[in-house]
Amino acid sequence: MLKIPTGQADAADTLRRPEGDPSLFIRPFTLPWKQEKDKESPIIAFRQVTKIYPLDSGDVTGIDNVSLDIFPGEFIAVMGPSGSGKSTLLNLMGCLDQPSSGEILIEGNSVRMMSDNQLTDLRLELLGFIFQYFNLFPLFDALKNVHYPYATRTGRIYDTSRAKEALREVDLPEPFWTHRPGQLSGGQQQRVAIARALVNDPSILLCDEPTGNLDTHTGTTILNLLSDLSRREGRTIVMVTHDPKTAEYADRIIRIVDGKVAGEKG
Amino acid sequence: MNNSRIIFSFAAANIRLHWLRSLLSVLGIIIGVLSIISMGMIQNVSILINIEQIEKIDTFLVTMDTNYAEKKSLDLTLTDRQIYQMKNTVPEAVIAPFFVDYDDSLRKRDEKIFVTIYGLDPQDMNNMFTFQTGGPPRSSTEIVVGSQVAREKNLAIGTQINIVFSNGEESATRIVGILNSKPGIWFMNPDYAVFPYEPWLRDRIDKTGYDNALVKVDDPKDIDGVKNKLIEEMNRRDSIIQVFDQNEFRDQWLKEMESQAVSTTAIAAISLVVAGVSIFNVMVMSVMERCREIGVLRSIGTRRSAIMQMFLIESVLLGIIGTIIGTVLGVMIGYTGISLMGGMKYFSDLSTFICVPYAMSFGVAISLLSGLYPAWKASRLNPIEALRHE
Ligand SMILES: Nc1ncnc2c1ncn2[C@@H]1O[C@H](COP(=O)(O)OP(=O)(O)OP(=O)(O)O)[C@@H](O)[C@H]1O
Ligand SMILES: [Mg+2]
């Protein structure tokens, strides 16, 4: 199902990633622009992006003329009141939706002209999603949940070594790997969800209220995990939250009000 | 690269989770496949049994060619001379000429009995038929009846039945013989006939010549040879005689079976279409329930085509499960039916199982067809909307 450019795919399949060295990880879907990580140019850039939802009762503006830059390795918190457009912003970053106008650049490349399959592959390769309600596959155990995106990308359906590595990365004890989501606590589920987001070694993690459904203590451990992923592994994280305490973990806070960037702090 | 195994495990896990609903939805497929297979098998064996019966038939019928009779303005009567000529042509066969008494009827006490009255020579009767009890009539007061009419009208040796002539006169007879059933003489049906003493009846109704002649051979395989010899000899100058044999009977009967097969297949096909609708329903439900899951799958990088496959596999899996259950049950029912029919020797005949692959592919095809739209719908879901779904 996943179409890979020939030649490159074979090379990628043979050039296995040495354990523990993310920089040598070669993706089958080799994005043409993905070369040396450039700390100077933004990994995500919005240029006058507007998203309008056309409804029968009139158009609703999700976000309005937003321009922003997010640089590699940044940990960003997006804050704002309910209905201000935080999720809309995150969905656009996640290539789940196309803007009504303006331009979105991921690693310097516009997503405007991309087909649905290209956007899907980009999500698979480059982005990791973490949701408020975990959104694990209820019928699969933790390991299978984490393994799924990796198997989808590589076709290596029996090679769960990478999934196990990801589960270790999020500190989920091994006895829980065979548990289904229903048999795990909220914090454990969110760890599994983070491992699933990490399994394909994405550059960008997008989190919509990742602690919104967790108690304070568990939330703190998850936030520590995220900030660890950012500081230690240099992953770019964009996290939507309405909680100022949560936002403190970020390097920079983007405030959204009525679909507009109202201010930045960081 | 192929990760259809993962896609497959999604589909299978979902069927396992909703096993009761899945089972209900495949009920239609089970019934459809089951009925095609069991009916197909039973029908096939009944055809084989009947063909065997037909091939055992050792008798055919000769009449005067209707065109010839018209041309010569004759009634359709075979003369003594013609019978004599036929007997000389095929001395190896038994030729039993007979006539039909169309005008007169029968009465047992107050009850009218509507069966055909034949005039057949007592000697020929012995040659053509066998008797359950008794023997041929030897005088005007004696009569022989066919097996079926004897059973239905409760007739036995000694029972009195009266021949009622068209002018109102009656003649009392007593049953002296009951024939064994002789199937396959569809042009005469001796099972549903009575045979008074021929010389007396001929005299009484003033009959000359014969309406038809039965021709019986020792071995059914010889029928064609005898038939051809007769036609060649008798119709040398003009087409005088006409022959009706079991082939005609078989053709007509097979045609009947065929139309019967068409209607049972149609019934089974309708049940399969209904099955398709129920699978369609379950799949639409499944798509709606798993909206959120589809949203997650899409957001973490599952292509539309994979989502489509996932649901197609689910509905085809349902179809395969239903088809397998239906096939097992269908063969079991077919087996039972065939053994009740006494056709076990035809059970293992290859033609008995021809309906199996046919029904199986039909069952699977229906499930694939009914899964197409829901699967397409699922693959078209907007991931954001789908994620929002609760
Ligand atoms: N699919 C949609 N169709 C129509 N309007 C939408 C849609 N998605 C969002 N909106 C509208 O766009 C605006 C921004 O919504 P969004 O979900 O981005 O807000 P939010 O900041 O995430 O809010 P919350 O904190 O409650 O999650 C709201 O007015 C919302 O009603
Ligand atoms: Mg939101």
Side-chain angles (χ1 to χ4, degrees), chain A residues 53 55 60-62 80-89 209, chain B residues 385 388:
Chain A
Y53 297 105
L55 295 181
V60 177
T61 307
S82 186
S84 57
K86 305 182 294 292
S87 296
T88 303
L89 187 81
E209 306 266 12
Chain B
E385 305 281 330
R388 220 204 296 268

Side-chain angles (χ1 to χ4, degrees), chain B residues 174-295:
Chain B
R174 206 169 44 81
I175 294 174
V176 294
I178 297 172
L179 296 178
N180 273 319
S181 170
K182 186 170 171 74
I185 313 185
W186 59 280
F187 32 74
M188 186 190 193
N189 196 5
D191 294 353
Y192 218 75
V194 298
F195 301 86
Y197 186 55
E198 194 253 14
W200 168 77
L201 183 65
R202 180 180 286 283
D203 201 43
R204 190 71 173 71
I205 66 170
D206 209 12
K207 176 78 186 177
T208 51
Y210 302 93
D211 294 323
N212 310 287
L214 291 173
V215 181
K216 184 177 138 186
V217 296
D218 283 343
D219 184 344
K221 290 195 186 69
D222 299 338
I223 280 196
D224 280 343
V226 169
K227 193 175 79 181
N228 291 338
K229 243 165 142 183
L230 268 180
I231 289 173
E232 203 175 301
E233 170 66 22
M234 300 298 294
N235 292 355
R236 184 170 293 165
R237 263 159 299 170
D238 211 337
S239 175
I240 294 172
I241 62 160
Q242 225 174 341
V243 168
F244 300 92
D245 66 5
Q246 85 278 20
N247 287 337
E248 207 125 337
F249 174 57
R250 169 159 62 186
D251 291 348
Q252 181 181 322
W253 179 80
L254 279 179
K255 223 174 269 166
E256 216 169 89
M257 286 308 279
E258 238 163 61
S259 68
Q260 211 176 319
V262 166
S263 62
T264 51
T265 308
I267 291 167
I270 289 169
S271 84
L272 275 180
V273 169
V274 173
V277 172
S278 84
I279 287 196
F280 178 88
N281 254 323
V282 164
M283 291 311 298
V284 168
M285 247 155 77
S286 180
V287 170
M288 274 173 6
E289 274 174 11
R290 287 157 71 197
C291 212
R292 206 184 169 84
E293 191 178 318
I294 295 165

Side-chain angles (χ1 to χ4, degrees), chain A residues 4 116 121 123 135 148 151, chain B residues 1 6 292 298 302-303:
Chain A
I4 318 149
D116 187 80
D121 292 347
R123 290 198 292 272
N135 282 339
Y148 173 79
Chain B
M1 182 180 327
I6 314 168
R292 206 184 169 84
R298 294 282 286 125
T302 307
R303 285 193 179 189

Side-chain angles (χ1 to χ4, degrees), chain B residues 287-315:
Chain B
V287 170
M288 274 173 6
E289 274 174 11
R290 287 157 71 197
C291 212
R292 206 184 169 84
E293 191 178 318
I294 295 165
V296 178
L297 282 166
R298 294 282 286 125
S299 71
I300 64 177
T302 307
R303 285 193 179 189
R304 280 185 177 150
S305 53
I307 303 283
M308 176 119 181
Q309 280 176 37
M310 199 175 286
F311 284 91
L312 276 185
I313 289 172
E314 185 173 330
S315 69

